[in-house]
Every structure is written in C-alpha cells, then in structure tokens.
Amino acid sequence: MTKKASLTKSEKDLRKRAKKVAKFFKQEHPDPKTELIHKNETELAVAVMLSAQTTDKKVNEVTRELFKKYKTWNDYAGADLEELRGLIRQVNFHKGKAERIIKAGKLISEEFKNQLPKDIKNLIKIPGVARKSANVIQQELWDISEGIVVDTHVTRVSNRLGFTTNKNAVKIEKDLMEVFPKDTWRNISGAFVMHGRYVCKARKPECADCVLKEVCPSAFDF
C-alpha cells in the first residue's frame, strides 16, 4: 500500500468514518471467528478450500465425515481421487476441489514439511488457496493480518457503506486497506462477514437493527 503525501477532504472523511465503523464492529463483534468447524490447522485449511461458492453450514456437514478419514496432509496426498470426490460431492465444484486438495497435500508434505506456511506469499502457492483463503487462514490460526478478507458479504457491505465501488475482490481489499487502520484489519475481516451474513443481507438488510445505521450512507435505501 502506497502512502500518500497528503489526503483530500473526502479521503480524510472516509478514513474518519472507517474508524467509526471499526469501533462499532469491535463492540458488536469483539472476537469474530469463522463458523467453519475445525480442530487444527489441516482441518481449517481444507474447510476453507471447500468453502468457495459453498455455505459454511454445508461445508461443516461434509467435513464431519471427511475429517474422520483424512487427518494429515500425507493422508490427503495419498487419497484416492474418486473416493475423495464422493465424500465432498455435496459442495459446489467438488471434482476440482478434490483434485486441488490432493495436490495441496502433496505440496505441503514435500515442500513445507507438513506445516502450513504462515506468510501469504507461500500460502497462495498451495492449490486451492487464493488470497482470500490465505487471509482467513492467517487470521484464524495465527492472528496475522497481512490483508482483509473479501468474500460476497464483505463485497456487499463495503459497497453499501461507501468504502468502495468495486466488485473485484482484489480491488475491494486494496480500497479497504487504504481507509481502515492496519490494527483493525483482523477484527473487521470477521465482523464484515458476520454483519453481511446476519444483518446487512442481500435482499432484506435489517437497517432498523443495524449498529451502523447512523454512519451508513445506504441505510433504509432498500
């Protein structure tokens, strides 16, 4: 992120509002956590890989049995492709996800000695792990925030709050990183997701019960 020599009034106003939003979110969601059920690093990473285009609820249903059979990256590396596909068939794009999970198991076993790397540069080398997934893994496992998680909920909420006009996740993340202080990234990543999932819904946002209604430019517009 490039630091600007000076900020325009609109940029200053945007950062000021971002601080207010971050404060409200910290009060409403003091310690937001993923709703993906997991017991260790391997389980979280696999659950995150499965969660693309699939609800956390459905992923949790699938991993209940999956995690009984596969416990280590070596297990995934040696998995039978068709058997793995069968176990995860209820998630969207299960065929491609099964292939990537097996490849991830092999890469992590061989290159990273069965340990997930902690930096984004290496995390995104893993098949099935893009920047959003890497951000989730970092924040959930190690409280590291090199960026901000951007999913469909964050896209919707950040647009409604006026922090971005972009739809592309990479551009949205950049916009949010520009206005939110770095020490808030961990909290707002999870808070944005929870807020979008349960309050600022796609079809019928619950503006009357929203803690951000006084600072949201889109409040009651739906």
Side-chain angles (χ1 to χ4, degrees):
M1 181 173 61
T2 303
K3 187 175 181 180
K4 297 179 180 179
S6 61
L7 298 173
T8 65
K9 183 180 184 300
S10 61
E11 289 171 328
K12 289 179 180 178
D13 289 343
L14 205 58
R15 291 190 178 189
K16 184 177 180 180
R17 187 151 55 84
K19 287 183 179 180
K20 289 182 179 179
V21 169
K23 182 179 180 181
F24 282 129
F25 272 156
K26 185 66 176 177
Q27 293 170 345
E28 189 76 3
H29 302 285
D31 189 27
K33 297 291 185 183
T34 180
E35 293 185 313
L36 293 170
I37 297 172
H38 63 283
K39 296 178 182 177
N40 52 53
E41 294 183 5
T42 303
E43 290 186 355
L44 176 67
V46 171
V48 169
M49 292 177 197
L50 292 174
S51 69
Q53 306 285 326
T54 304
T55 65
D56 288 359
K57 181 179 179 181
K58 178 57 66 177
V59 172
N60 289 336
E61 292 174 2
V62 168
T63 56
R64 192 178 298 123
E65 294 302 317
L66 182 71
F67 292 161
K68 291 179 182 179
K69 184 171 182 61
Y70 304 102
K71 301 183 182 301
T72 68
W73 290 115
N74 281 328
D75 291 340
Y76 287 107
D80 177 79
L81 178 59
E82 292 307 317
E83 185 175 15
L84 181 56
R85 282 176 171 171
L87 284 169
I88 67 170
R89 66 186 180 279
Q90 294 182 61
V91 304
N92 292 325
F93 309 110
H94 69 282
K95 292 183 177 181
K97 288 178 180 179
E99 290 180 0
R100 289 189 288 275
I101 288 172
I102 290 174
K103 290 178 181 178
K106 292 177 179 178
L107 180 70
I108 295 168
S109 298
E110 296 168 4
E111 187 169 335
F112 298 118
K113 299 179 180 179
N114 291 306
Q115 295 290 321
L116 285 174
K118 291 188 175 182
D119 59 292
I120 280 187
K121 181 180 178 180
N122 281 310
L123 278 171
I124 61 176
K125 290 181 181 179
I126 299 170
V129 178
R131 185 174 174 88
K132 172 214 161 187
S133 300
N135 277 325
V136 173
I137 291 168
Q138 278 191 319
Q139 294 179 11
E140 292 294 331
L141 293 178
W142 311 300
D143 278 327
I144 297 173
S145 295
E146 289 188 55
I148 295 173
V149 174
V150 177
D151 68 355
T152 55
H153 299 297
V154 178
T155 297
R156 180 172 65 257
V157 175
S158 59
N159 270 267
R160 287 177 177 175
L161 285 170
F163 292 125
T164 184
T165 57
N166 286 303
K167 300 298 181 182
N168 176 272
V170 175
K171 292 181 179 179
I172 291 171
E173 183 182 17
K174 182 178 183 296
D175 290 341
L176 295 177
M177 289 166 67
E178 286 283 350
V179 297
F180 282 92
K182 188 173 182 178
D183 62 1
T184 69
W185 292 355
R186 169 66 181 97
N187 183 266
I188 67 165
S189 289
F192 260 99
V193 172
M194 300 299 285
H195 191 70
R197 185 172 290 166
Y198 298 111
V199 181
C200 195
K201 302 172 184 177
R203 294 185 179 179
K204 292 185 178 180
E206 298 177 4
C207 296
D209 298 321
C210 179
V211 297
L212 304 178
K213 59 188 175 187
E214 300 300 328
V215 296
C216 177
S218 303
F220 302 102
D221 283 351
F222 304 91

